[in-house]
Amino acid sequence: MNVLVIHGPNLDLLGTREPEVYGAQTLADVDRRIAEEGAQLGVRVDCVQHNSEGAIVDALHAARGRYDGIILNAAAYTHYGYALRDAIAAVGIPTIEVHLTNTLAREPFRATSVIGPVCRGTIAGFGVDSYLLALRAFV
Ligand code: DQA
């Protein structure tokens, strides 16, 4: 099984970005944990990060025929990124929405996910474990 992990905007700043909210782990730390979990589960995993919505749309398009599943932390685009929603629906690869934080327990605008309805499921609130649980869900 081949899984693509896509991290959205500002997640490249993990480690220094609001550590009281997002924790002290850097994106490299997160990707290392994901790679280790993938190896244990026998899943081939690639991780990418993009700050622009268009780049994420391009990554979703390019995933066709290459990946069996996508784990997407769309970050703030989650809440208003209609182009992402349409791309997930168009590409048709099972996609799991993940978040480090429990978006429902934060500011009201984070309670809306425009991508959730076209995703296979959502895992939020468990830090890096949200990604690891999503990998397990695919297996
Ligand atoms: C996030 C939650 C989003 O609301 C926020 O914009 C992010 C990160 C998370 O992983 O908790 O950038 O997706």
Side-chain angles (χ1 to χ4, degrees):
M1 182 185 286
N2 295 316
V3 170
L4 176 63
V5 176
I6 305 176
H7 305 286
N10 301 308
L11 294 170
D12 52 331
L13 299 184
L14 282 179
T16 58
R17 175 194 182 194
E18 298 178 88
E20 66 287 0
V21 176
Y22 295 109
Q25 293 192 78
T26 65
L27 188 61
D29 297 331
V30 171
D31 284 348
R32 196 172 317 112
R33 293 279 308 279
I34 292 169
E36 285 166 6
E37 188 76 5
Q40 274 196 8
L41 294 171
V43 178
R44 220 184 61 77
V45 189
D46 292 321
C47 297
V48 295
Q49 188 273 334
H50 297 292
N51 283 320
S52 72
E53 186 175 9
I56 300 174
V57 170
D58 288 340
L60 289 165
H61 291 185
R64 279 176 300 178
R66 298 179 57 207
Y67 294 98
D68 308 296
I70 294 170
I71 296 172
L72 174 60
N73 185 346
Y77 295 134
T78 303
H79 314 303
Y80 66 97
Y82 296 108
L84 285 188
R85 185 221 182 272
D86 286 351
I88 294 163
V91 162
I93 301 171
T95 298
I96 299 178
E97 173 186 355
V98 301
H99 299 284
L100 295 159
T101 62
N102 179 359
T103 47
L104 297 179
R106 299 182 61 194
E107 300 95 325
F109 77 87
R110 297 187 202 275
T112 298
S113 170
V114 301
I115 67 170
V118 293
C119 287
R120 182 70 181 75
T122 300
I123 303 172
F126 301 102
V128 66
D129 286 345
S130 294
Y131 293 90
L132 309 186
L133 290 165
L135 266 183
R136 286 182 176 269
F138 272 130
V139 170

